[in-house]
Amino acid sequence: MGKVQVKVAEVDRQFEAVLIANRGEIALRIQRACQELGLKTVTICSEADRDASYGKSSDVFLCIGPSSAGKSYLNQDAILLAARLSGAGAIHPGYGFLSENAAFAEAVKKAGLVFIGPDARSIATMGDKISAKSAMMAAGVPCVPGPDTALPDDRDAVEKTASEIGYPVIIKAAGGGGGRGMRVVTEADSLHEAIALTREEARQAFGSPALYMEKFLQRPRHIEIQVLCDTHGNAVWLGHRDCSMQRRHQKVVEEAPAPGIPPEPIRQVGEACVEACRQIGYHGVGTFEFLYEDGAFYFIEMNTRLQVEHPVTEMTTGLDIVQAQIKVAQGRALDIGQSEIKSDGHSFECRINAEDPATFMPSAGVITALELPNGPGIRVDTHVQTGYKVSPYYDSLIAKLIVHAATRTEAMAKMRDALADIRLDGISTNIPFLRALFEDHEFARGETDIHYLEKWLKQRSAS
Ligand code: ADP
């Protein structure tokens, strides 16, 4: 594979103030990274978040619209106006909301501002799972068996594709995300109905009816590779994470490194990801997601943004991924090479959600008491405190509990202690469920697959 070094056109990438177009723990996380780099911060909020603690520590805190995300955190014009009025030179989109919206990245650039993320073209290519798969196949990254083309309307052609792949297959929306827009088909009889249902769902939820089909892997693990690329053609991968603990295709617990994976195959995949980034002229941070089964890796998608689980990689590599992301957005060359990237010890992250620990229904209300664990190797990323009102408008994530220790066993023990030390009253959270999960022997052994958590939950509710 030849090295094609794509140099991004020179633009004025200097900025002194960053507008943070997000909320909650990630708004605070980005704010701290900016402050440590000597940058001023402009944080926006909706009416529901007017009292957010991070408003006080931001240089400018602007309410840009009503509580509904569509009118605030997703309101591109209001965000661009806020940037203009406050004099911010760059916009950090965080994760979720507008972070993977190519049109927004383009609008930011057109407004003469720096988008802290890849360019619109990379976001668009990777945001469409079919074009992402094509790009990855072309770059030599291993993909899940199945064509890198949209499913045609022709019923015979679709049946042929399914039988060539072999059942079970999974029908996926090209524009899908957040674990939605997917349907598993185990036999030919239900193929057309599954396609029709998924197409309708895709049309309504993602605005595009395009679907594709691939092999449904029965007991894979979800392994992902974090990459960091500058605008000068330099790219590195920062090790790997295991995010197999999922409920409804949504991650619950993440860890780094992924246990039990031999170094050579993961090195090859890491190098292939980095090569793919160079080939497509990718810059910024990104994550290549893979399914891993029987010793083989299969690409499923790329996230062109900072991820919720980035702290486990920060804990094991000692790097500040958000600062690195901001520096490459400023046009600075990476100051670290692949040979200097180390993975030290083991890290876990638990997503603490305001939800019922048994039914997982969201729980809104006021936090009446909060005590957080602390000590060596314990990190809590959160924006909440006693008296904080959890609003029903947004994602239920209220905190991330992250631990780091020398070994996986020690990191699990540390997480058990940390979970035991949290006190959070007033609303329901998934903490009791996380405590029980960290007592589980199979999980402690490691290498559980993506279906393990759902099976474990079923067994628990049956007993
Ligand atoms: P999203 O963009 O909605 O997160 P992904 O393509 O990343 O969708 O898939 C989310 C999860 O769905 C994966 O982590 C895995 O658990 C499951 N999944 C996706 N594709 C397959 C597949 N081909 N076989 C088995 N499980 C899959």
Side-chain angles (χ1 to χ4, degrees):
M1 211 184 312
K3 280 196 178 166
V4 185
Q5 298 242 329
V6 184
K7 195 161 186 229
V8 176
E10 287 305 328
V11 282
D12 182 11
R13 296 188 152 269
Q14 295 314 304
F15 49 84
E16 278 155 26
V18 175
L19 182 141
I20 301 166
N22 215 297
R23 63 175 301 282
E25 68 86 21
I26 200 64
L28 181 57
R29 169 77 188 89
I30 297 165
Q31 196 184 95
R32 288 197 176 130
C34 290
Q35 286 163 349
E36 283 159 20
L37 290 172
L39 297 164
K40 293 213 170 340
T41 54
V42 176
T43 308
I44 54 149
C45 73
S46 69
E47 278 166 13
D49 288 332
R50 263 181 195 284
D51 296 328
S53 57
Y54 50 84
K56 294 183 197 76
S57 45
S58 186
D59 294 293
V60 179
F61 191 44
L62 283 174
C63 179
I64 62 154
S67 306
S68 131
K71 294 186 174 145
S72 48
Y73 298 107
L74 292 169
N75 185 341
Q76 301 188 24
D77 291 341
I79 294 169
L80 290 171
L81 180 64
R84 200 161 58 236
L85 293 177
S86 61
I91 297 187
H92 196 309
Y95 53 67
F97 296 125
L98 294 169
S99 60
E100 290 180 295
N101 186 313
F104 181 62
E106 193 56 33
V108 171
K109 191 172 157 194
K110 282 220 175 87
L113 307 171
V114 174
F115 180 75
I116 303 183
D119 59 25
R121 192 179 44 89
S122 295
I123 299 176
T125 304
M126 293 303 165
D128 179 293
K129 292 183 180 181
I130 301 173
S131 62
K133 192 167 184 174
S134 287
M136 289 306 107
M137 281 168 132
V141 175
C143 294
V144 181
D148 58 342
T149 48
L151 278 183
D153 287 328
D154 180 345
R155 291 169 73 92
D156 292 343
V158 170
E159 283 169 24
K160 188 160 170 269
T161 304
S163 59
E164 275 168 11
I165 296 173
Y167 288 92
V169 295
I170 183 166
I171 311 295
K172 297 171 79 169
R180 294 179 308 140
M182 291 182 243
R183 198 163 263 103
V184 180
V185 184
T186 51
E187 52 183 22
D189 285 356
S190 47
L191 180 64
H192 296 296
E193 193 194 343
I195 291 175
L197 287 170
T198 317
R199 208 182 277 291
E200 198 39 43
E201 219 169 80
R203 200 191 312 273
Q204 283 182 17
F206 312 116
S208 156
L211 303 178
Y212 67 111
M213 187 195 296
E214 61 188 23
K215 181 86 187 156
F216 177 69
L217 301 177
Q218 311 249 19
R219 41 184 184 79
R221 292 165 62 193
H222 175 119
I223 310 288
E224 55 187 39
I225 304 260
Q226 171 79 58
V227 293
L228 169 63
C229 316
D230 66 18
T231 50
H232 306 273
N234 303 305
V236 291
W237 61 284
L238 306 179
H240 42 104
R241 300 187 280 254
D242 188 325
C243 309
S244 302
M245 277 297 165
Q246 301 181 358
R247 186 181 157 268
R248 299 200 172 163
H249 305 303
Q250 295 264 49
K251 298 161 189 169
V252 176
V253 173
E254 298 99 343
E255 59 180 297
I261 300 199
E264 190 44 31
I266 195 87
R267 193 193 61 76
Q268 281 174 15
V269 171
E271 290 302 322
C273 293
V274 159
E275 188 53 39
C277 288
R278 290 198 191 101
Q279 288 196 16
I280 62 173
Y282 190 86
H283 60 91
V285 299
T287 298
F288 287 81
E289 298 192 331
F290 292 88
L291 295 178
Y292 175 75
E293 192 174 80
D294 297 332
F297 288 90
Y298 305 95
F299 170 82
I300 44 171
E301 70 160 343
M302 182 182 192
N303 289 316
T304 55
R305 56 171 165 82
L306 185 66
Q307 283 195 285
V308 177
E309 60 271 27
H310 75 273
V312 290
T313 301
E314 294 188 323
M315 300 299 262
T316 48
T317 59
L319 298 171
D320 185 312
I321 293 176
V322 184
Q323 284 191 14
Q325 183 187 26
I326 296 169
K327 286 188 206 164
V328 299
Q330 289 174 319
R332 289 155 75 169
L334 289 185
D335 52 11
I336 188 161
Q338 192 65 52
S339 61
E340 294 158 275
I341 291 161
K342 303 272 176 287
S343 176
D344 176 30
H346 204 94
S347 179
F348 280 99
E349 173 181 278
C350 281
R351 297 189 187 199
I352 299 189
N353 297 328
E355 64 191 15
D356 185 280
T359 64
F360 297 99
M361 291 295 286
S363 156
V366 175
I367 296 176
T368 52
L370 179 66
E371 283 167 29
L372 295 173
N374 56 43
I378 296 179
R379 162 175 167 183
V380 184
D381 281 17
T382 187
H383 60 295
V384 307
Q385 63 283 304
T386 304
Y388 180 85
K389 190 166 170 229
V390 177
S391 86
Y393 294 101
Y394 316 109
D395 189 277
S396 60
L397 182 78
I398 50 169
K400 301 189 311 204
L401 174 57
I402 305 124
V403 298
H404 182 242
T407 64
R408 186 173 189 271
T409 306
E410 286 166 278
M412 274 201 110
K414 199 181 276 280
M415 182 61 91
R416 268 193 292 275
D417 286 350
L419 285 167
D421 286 349
I422 295 189
R423 179 174 164 216
L424 199 158
D425 298 338
I427 54 160
S428 296
T429 72
N430 62 343
I431 294 170
F433 148 78
L434 291 166
R435 283 179 185 145
L437 184 61
F438 273 81
E439 296 293 340
D440 182 64
H441 294 301
E442 278 293 307
F443 178 32
R445 251 200 297 272
E447 306 184 37
T448 47
D449 68 32
I450 56 169
H451 305 297
Y452 183 75
L453 182 58
E454 301 255 5
K455 281 188 218 143
W456 181 81
L457 284 166
K458 245 190 219 143
Q459 270 167 13
R460 258 166 57 97
S461 60
S463 60

